[in-house]
Short mmCIF file of all heavy atoms in Angstrom, two decimals:
data_model
loop_
_atom_site.label_atom_id
_atom_site.label_comp_id
_atom_site.label_asym_id
_atom_site.label_seq_id
_atom_site.Cartn_x
_atom_site.Cartn_y
_atom_site.Cartn_z
N SER A 59 239.50 47.23 108.95
CA SER A 59 238.42 47.90 109.70
C SER A 59 237.95 49.15 108.98
O SER A 59 236.83 49.61 109.19
CB SER A 59 238.90 48.25 111.11
OG SER A 59 240.01 49.12 111.04
N HIS A 60 238.77 49.70 108.09
CA HIS A 60 238.45 50.94 107.38
C HIS A 60 237.61 50.73 106.12
O HIS A 60 237.14 51.68 105.53
CB HIS A 60 239.75 51.66 107.00
CG HIS A 60 240.60 50.84 106.07
ND1 HIS A 60 241.34 49.76 106.50
CD2 HIS A 60 240.81 50.94 104.74
CE1 HIS A 60 241.98 49.23 105.48
NE2 HIS A 60 241.68 49.93 104.40
N VAL A 61 237.41 49.49 105.70
CA VAL A 61 236.63 49.24 104.48
C VAL A 61 235.17 48.97 104.84
O VAL A 61 234.85 48.69 105.99
CB VAL A 61 237.21 48.06 103.66
CG1 VAL A 61 238.60 48.35 103.20
CG2 VAL A 61 237.15 46.77 104.43
N GLU A 62 234.31 49.07 103.86
CA GLU A 62 232.88 48.84 104.07
C GLU A 62 232.46 47.63 103.26
O GLU A 62 232.67 47.62 102.06
CB GLU A 62 232.09 50.08 103.66
CG GLU A 62 230.64 50.06 104.04
CD GLU A 62 230.38 49.93 105.53
OE1 GLU A 62 231.06 50.58 106.34
OE2 GLU A 62 229.49 49.16 105.87
N PRO A 63 231.89 46.59 103.82
CA PRO A 63 231.70 46.40 105.26
C PRO A 63 233.03 46.09 105.95
O PRO A 63 233.96 45.59 105.32
CB PRO A 63 230.75 45.22 105.35
CG PRO A 63 230.98 44.44 104.10
CD PRO A 63 231.38 45.46 103.04
N ALA A 64 233.09 46.39 107.23
CA ALA A 64 234.32 46.20 108.01
C ALA A 64 234.82 44.76 107.87
O ALA A 64 234.04 43.81 107.98
CB ALA A 64 234.09 46.54 109.47
N GLY A 65 236.10 44.63 107.62
CA GLY A 65 236.72 43.30 107.52
C GLY A 65 236.61 42.66 106.15
O GLY A 65 237.07 41.54 105.96
N ALA A 66 236.03 43.34 105.18
CA ALA A 66 235.87 42.76 103.85
C ALA A 66 237.24 42.60 103.17
O ALA A 66 238.06 43.51 103.20
CB ALA A 66 234.96 43.63 103.00
N TRP A 67 237.47 41.44 102.58
CA TRP A 67 238.72 41.15 101.87
C TRP A 67 238.43 40.16 100.76
O TRP A 67 237.37 39.55 100.72
CB TRP A 67 239.79 40.61 102.83
CG TRP A 67 239.46 39.26 103.38
CD1 TRP A 67 238.65 38.98 104.44
CD2 TRP A 67 239.89 38.00 102.88
NE1 TRP A 67 238.56 37.63 104.63
CE2 TRP A 67 239.31 37.00 103.69
CE3 TRP A 67 240.71 37.61 101.84
CZ2 TRP A 67 239.53 35.63 103.47
CZ3 TRP A 67 240.93 36.26 101.64
CH2 TRP A 67 240.35 35.28 102.46
N TYR A 68 239.37 39.98 99.85
CA TYR A 68 239.24 38.94 98.84
C TYR A 68 240.60 38.29 98.62
O TYR A 68 241.64 38.88 98.86
CB TYR A 68 238.66 39.48 97.53
CG TYR A 68 239.63 40.25 96.67
CD1 TYR A 68 240.28 39.63 95.61
CD2 TYR A 68 239.90 41.59 96.91
CE1 TYR A 68 241.18 40.32 94.83
CE2 TYR A 68 240.79 42.29 96.13
CZ TYR A 68 241.43 41.65 95.09
OH TYR A 68 242.32 42.33 94.31
N CYS A 69 240.56 37.05 98.18
CA CYS A 69 241.78 36.28 97.92
C CYS A 69 242.36 36.74 96.59
O CYS A 69 241.69 36.70 95.56
CB CYS A 69 241.45 34.79 97.88
SG CYS A 69 242.88 33.76 97.50
N ASN A 70 243.61 37.17 96.62
CA ASN A 70 244.27 37.62 95.40
C ASN A 70 244.60 36.46 94.46
O ASN A 70 244.88 36.68 93.29
CB ASN A 70 245.56 38.38 95.73
CG ASN A 70 245.27 39.70 96.38
OD1 ASN A 70 245.22 39.78 97.60
ND2 ASN A 70 245.05 40.73 95.58
N ARG A 71 244.54 35.24 94.95
CA ARG A 71 244.87 34.07 94.12
C ARG A 71 243.64 33.56 93.36
O ARG A 71 243.67 33.40 92.17
CB ARG A 71 245.45 32.97 95.01
CG ARG A 71 245.99 31.81 94.25
CD ARG A 71 247.36 32.15 93.67
NE ARG A 71 247.80 31.01 92.89
CZ ARG A 71 248.30 31.10 91.68
NH1 ARG A 71 248.47 32.26 91.13
NH2 ARG A 71 248.67 30.03 91.03
N CYS A 72 242.52 33.31 94.07
CA CYS A 72 241.31 32.77 93.42
C CYS A 72 240.23 33.83 93.21
O CYS A 72 239.22 33.55 92.59
CB CYS A 72 240.75 31.59 94.22
SG CYS A 72 240.08 32.04 95.84
N GLU A 73 240.46 35.02 93.77
CA GLU A 73 239.58 36.18 93.63
C GLU A 73 238.20 36.00 94.28
O GLU A 73 237.25 36.70 93.94
CB GLU A 73 239.44 36.59 92.16
CG GLU A 73 240.77 36.99 91.56
CD GLU A 73 240.67 37.49 90.14
OE1 GLU A 73 239.58 37.37 89.53
OE2 GLU A 73 241.68 38.00 89.64
N ARG A 74 238.08 35.07 95.22
CA ARG A 74 236.82 34.94 95.96
C ARG A 74 236.86 35.86 97.18
O ARG A 74 237.91 36.08 97.76
CB ARG A 74 236.60 33.49 96.40
CG ARG A 74 236.35 32.57 95.21
CD ARG A 74 236.13 31.16 95.65
NE ARG A 74 237.37 30.62 96.21
CZ ARG A 74 237.48 29.43 96.78
NH1 ARG A 74 236.44 28.64 96.89
NH2 ARG A 74 238.64 29.02 97.25
N ARG A 75 235.70 36.38 97.55
CA ARG A 75 235.59 37.27 98.72
C ARG A 75 235.56 36.45 100.01
O ARG A 75 235.04 35.35 100.05
CB ARG A 75 234.33 38.12 98.61
CG ARG A 75 234.35 39.03 97.42
CD ARG A 75 233.29 40.11 97.54
NE ARG A 75 233.45 41.07 96.46
CZ ARG A 75 234.34 42.04 96.44
NH1 ARG A 75 235.19 42.17 97.41
NH2 ARG A 75 234.42 42.87 95.42
N GLY A 76 236.11 37.05 101.07
CA GLY A 76 236.11 36.41 102.38
C GLY A 76 234.71 36.07 102.86
O GLY A 76 234.48 35.05 103.49
N SER A 77 233.73 36.93 102.52
CA SER A 77 232.35 36.68 102.94
C SER A 77 231.77 35.45 102.24
O SER A 77 231.02 34.68 102.84
CB SER A 77 231.47 37.91 102.66
OG SER A 77 231.51 38.23 101.29
N VAL A 78 232.14 35.22 100.99
CA VAL A 78 231.69 34.04 100.26
C VAL A 78 232.36 32.79 100.84
O VAL A 78 231.74 31.75 100.99
CB VAL A 78 232.00 34.17 98.75
CG1 VAL A 78 231.73 32.87 98.01
CG2 VAL A 78 231.20 35.32 98.15
#
Side-chain angles (χ1 to χ4, degrees):
S59 60
H60 62 284
V61 298
E62 190 59 42
W67 67 277
Y68 78 97
C69 178
N70 291 92
R71 188 78 182 133
C72 67
E73 298 184 351
R74 292 180 293 175
R75 297 195 173 282
S77 58
V78 171

